[in-house]
């Protein structure tokens, strides 16, 4: 190293940074910040756009659904199961509250009104749509839903009881805007 | 010679896949004339623009629907609903203009400093291929938003091929995939607009390979004669390119953020209507000179031929200009004709933009439809400018090659750069041009 502290090119002895180091670091940080700011809009453009978000809630009149019947509505491109449970089904779900489950949850927290169960109809394993909405479809050993892809079985509360799925069927955010109209999302 | 990399991971990879050796050879070892001016920034800027266009285009394609019923609305949805969609679109729209700006400067640089001359003829020709690919890509990209100018621009340009005798009509039907510009046309244009930039990228690689064979030309236009005339590309020109990029980005950002639609035609914000042609059909500014050449020939077929010839003539340019002196700096007469060509292209641009029956009054600085005015009609001016355009390449350059007396050219790059040589004559008399200074 040179004897003197700084050459015209800014080389310095010892620990102290040089003016060149300073310029280099400042330029590099500004560049990095600029590059990150430039990338941001590109990545952001791939997130849901305003028109997609605008369609993110729906209202459903559940008064039309007879007891024992179930309907499927589309919400955010996914099926939502709404089942009008019979008293027997509710009783069975409540009875099983203490059973050995992967994702223990009481039935009362899964339905705002016990007779209407509202669930996102997507298997929590790998995203297939479980069967069980129609009478002719298999409902699995627990009387709820049966996923044909990998054999997951859900009970009458939509809780996972058997099979590879790790979680219960998701309960979407919803509220009753009137006695029979549910707003999902 | 393989570089000695310190990083063991780099060494491990390089031993099996010598990418780092390649980069080191093409950047750190690549000798570049040390006297390159800022005119030599525009090649890398063009490369940068290609990257920007591909990146923004890929993201736009994620939002775009290539169907006549949805295309216009999908573009408007980008502008209103997609996060930063307006930004991506303005980057892409103005990016096309910026790409042409830097490429045109890059080409005029080559024209002035004789970069097309031996041994760089093929490098130049590959560049012309790049220009043609850019034009095709830009044209098809302009059709995609499916506005009025998209539709009628596509109609007019594809109809050019109908000028061909016998097969013309069949070729146009083939291009359209129907009996007018319609959904099949839009679909194939989208497909090709996505494909061609990758073809372009391949040709750019060839362009760079051809460049690295003999290295850059330089403002003096003489060959480098040894290490004393060159500096490594990296870090010297990478840092200079970065600085130029910063300045250029300010220019580019001005358009994107402050004048995003100024360079475009407002008519294209009206959805395409196949039943109604807009009053004036004008291409984007970068096509105006060629459009003016097309319109200045009264015959349909000859007009089309002239338009294509105005670009094809560039392919044979290296053999039209036989002067052994490359740089315009040492060609006193050539200089004048060169700057007249630049001016001529500006005139052609104005002609292409103006309705052909209008009158240009040079003293009033106005272009107006008033036929009673003293002045020259746009069509006549276009014809004059077209004549000079071809005259420059086909008459002026061959004649200059014979009659022009060039100034003495320095014997080495080092001398004038380091200030050792005062007048050119003194340099020419230097007994040892290659001596190290």
């Amino acid at each position: 190293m040179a004897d003197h502290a700084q050459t015209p090119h800014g080389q310095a002895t010892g620990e102290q940074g040089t003016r060149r180091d300073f310029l280099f670091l400042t330029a590099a940080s500004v560049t990095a910040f600029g590059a990150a700011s430039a990338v941001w809009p590109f990545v952001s453009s791939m997130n849901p756009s305003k028109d997609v978000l605008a369609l993110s809630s729906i209202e459903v009149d559940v008064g039309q659904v007879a007891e024992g019947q179930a309907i499927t509505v589309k919400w955010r491109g996914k099926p939502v199961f709404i089942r009008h449970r019979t008293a027997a089904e509710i009783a069975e779900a409540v009875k099983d509250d203490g059973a050995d489950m992967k994702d223990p949850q009481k039935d009362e927290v899964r339905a705002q009104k016990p007779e209407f169960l509202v669930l996102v109809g997507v298997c929590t394993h790998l995203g297939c749509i479980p069967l069980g909405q129609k009478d002719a479809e298999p409902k699995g050993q627990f009387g709820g839903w049966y996923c044909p892809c990998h054999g997951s079985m859900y009970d009458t509360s939509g809780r996972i009881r058997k099979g590879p799925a790790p979680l219960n069927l998701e309960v979407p955010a919803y509220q009753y805007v009137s006695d029979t109209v549910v707003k999902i999302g | 010679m393989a570089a000695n990399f310190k990083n063991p991971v780099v060494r491990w990879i390089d031993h099996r896949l010598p990418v780092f050796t390649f980069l080191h050879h093409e950047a750190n070892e690549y000798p570049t004339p040390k006297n390159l001016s800022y005119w030599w920034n525009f090649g890398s800027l063009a490369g940068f623009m290609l990257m920007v266009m591909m990146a923004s285009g890929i993201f736009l394609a994620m939002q775009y629907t290539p169907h006549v019923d949805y295309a216009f609305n999908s573009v408007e949805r980008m502008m209103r609903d997609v996060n930063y969609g307006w930004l991506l679109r303005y980057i892409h729209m103005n990016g096309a203009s910026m790409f042409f700006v830097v490429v045109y400067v890059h080409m005029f640089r080559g024209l002035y400093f004789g970069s097309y001359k031996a041994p760089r003829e093929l490098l130049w020709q590959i560049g012309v291929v790049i220009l043609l690919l850019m034009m095709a890509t830009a044209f098809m990209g302009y059709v995609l938003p499916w506005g009025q100018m998209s539709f009628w621009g596509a109609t007019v340009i594809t109809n050019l091929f109908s000028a061909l005798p016998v097969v013309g009509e069949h070729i146009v039907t083939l291009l359209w995939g129907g009996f007018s510009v319609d959904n099949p046309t839009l679909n194939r244009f989208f497909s090709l607009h996505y494909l061609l930039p990758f073809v372009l990228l391949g040709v750019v690689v060839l362009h760079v390979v051809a460049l690295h064979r003999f290295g850059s030309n330089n403002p003096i236009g003489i060959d480098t004669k040894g290490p004393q005339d060159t500096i490594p590309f990296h870090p010297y020109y990478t840092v200079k390119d970065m600085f130029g990029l910063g300045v250029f980005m300010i220019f580019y950002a001005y358009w994107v953020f402050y004048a995003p639609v100024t360079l475009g035609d407002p008519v294209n914000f009206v959805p395409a209507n196949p039943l109604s042609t807009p009053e004036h059909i004008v291409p984007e500014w970068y096509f105006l000179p060629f459009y003016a050449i097309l319109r200045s020939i009264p015959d349909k077929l000859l007009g089309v031929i002239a338009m294509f010839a105005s670009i094809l003539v560039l392919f044979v340019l290296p053999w039209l200009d036989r002067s052994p002196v490359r740089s315009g700096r040492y060609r006193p007469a050539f200089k004048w004709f060169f700057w007249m060509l630049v001016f001529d292209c500006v005139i052609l641009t104005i002609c292409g933009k103006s309705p052909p029956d209008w009158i240009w009054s040079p003293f009033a600085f106005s272009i107006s439809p008033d036929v009673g005015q003293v002045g020259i009609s746009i069509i006549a001016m276009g014809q004059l400018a077209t004549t000079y355009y071809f005259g420059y390449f086909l008459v002026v350059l061959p004649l200059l090659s014979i009659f022009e007396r060039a100034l003495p050219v320095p014997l080495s790059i080092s001398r004038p750069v380091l200030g050792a040589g005062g007048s050119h004559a003194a340099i020419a008399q230097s007994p040892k041009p290659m001596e190290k200074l």
Side-chain angles (χ1 to χ4, degrees), chain B residues 358-435:
Chain B
W358 284 23
I359 303 290
W360 184 54
S361 317
F363 301 109
F365 291 107
S366 76
I367 297 174
S368 71
D370 181 4
V371 283
Q373 231 176 346
V374 181
I376 174 170
S377 78
I378 288 296
I379 198 95
M381 192 162 72
Q383 284 168 343
L384 267 176
T386 303
T387 309
Y388 182 76
Y389 182 90
F390 285 105
Y392 174 85
F393 292 107
L394 299 175
V395 180
V396 172
L397 286 182
L399 288 182
L400 280 182
S401 314
I402 300 169
F403 295 110
E404 185 181 42
R405 236 190 113 193
L407 298 172
V409 172
L411 290 177
S412 95
I413 289 174
S414 284
R415 283 309 182 93
V417 167
L418 296 180
S423 68
H424 298 125
I427 297 162
Q429 283 158 10
S430 165
K432 281 186 262 173
M434 287 177 65
E435 105 188 313

Side-chain angles (χ1 to χ4, degrees), chain B residues 68 175-178 180-189:
Chain B
V68 289
L175 289 174
W176 286 342
S180 65
V181 173
D182 210 333
N183 202 41
T185 326
L186 180 60
N187 275 294
R188 63 190 60 183
F189 277 19

Side-chain angles (χ1 to χ4, degrees), chain A residues 83 92 95-96 131-132 137-147 151-157 159-163:
Chain A
R83 187 186 276 200
E92 200 188 331
K95 180 174 68 93
D96 283 355
L131 300 173
E137 287 176 358
K139 291 184 165 62
Q141 291 171 20
F142 302 91
W145 289 269
Y146 169 75
C147 182
S152 291
M153 293 176 190
Y154 298 91
D155 65 14
T156 53
S157 188
R159 293 173 296 203
I160 179 67
R161 302 297 291 273
K162 193 175 178 186

Side-chain angles (χ1 to χ4, degrees), chain B residues 54-78:
Chain B
M54 289 176 81
S56 54
I58 285 168
F59 279 81
L60 288 176
M62 295 177 189
Q63 313 289 350
Y64 174 73
T65 312
H67 188 284
V68 289
D69 293 340
Y70 305 106
F72 189 89
N73 288 343
S74 74
V75 173
E76 288 310 308
R77 182 182 155 270
M78 279 174 213

Side-chain angles (χ1 to χ4, degrees), chain A residues 6 18 30 154:
Chain A
Q6 271 194 331
T18 63
V30 171
Y154 298 91

Side-chain angles (χ1 to χ4, degrees), chain A residues 31 40-52, chain B residues 55-56 59 62-63 77 80-84 87-88 91:
Chain A
T31 309
W40 175 257
F42 283 77
V43 177
S44 176
S45 79
M46 293 172 73
N47 263 325
S49 57
K50 292 190 190 75
D51 60 327
V52 173
Chain B
S56 54
F59 279 81
M62 295 177 189
Q63 313 289 350
R77 182 182 155 270
R80 297 168 193 203
D81 290 342
V82 175
N83 302 330
Y84 296 101
L87 180 59
L88 297 185
I91 284 175

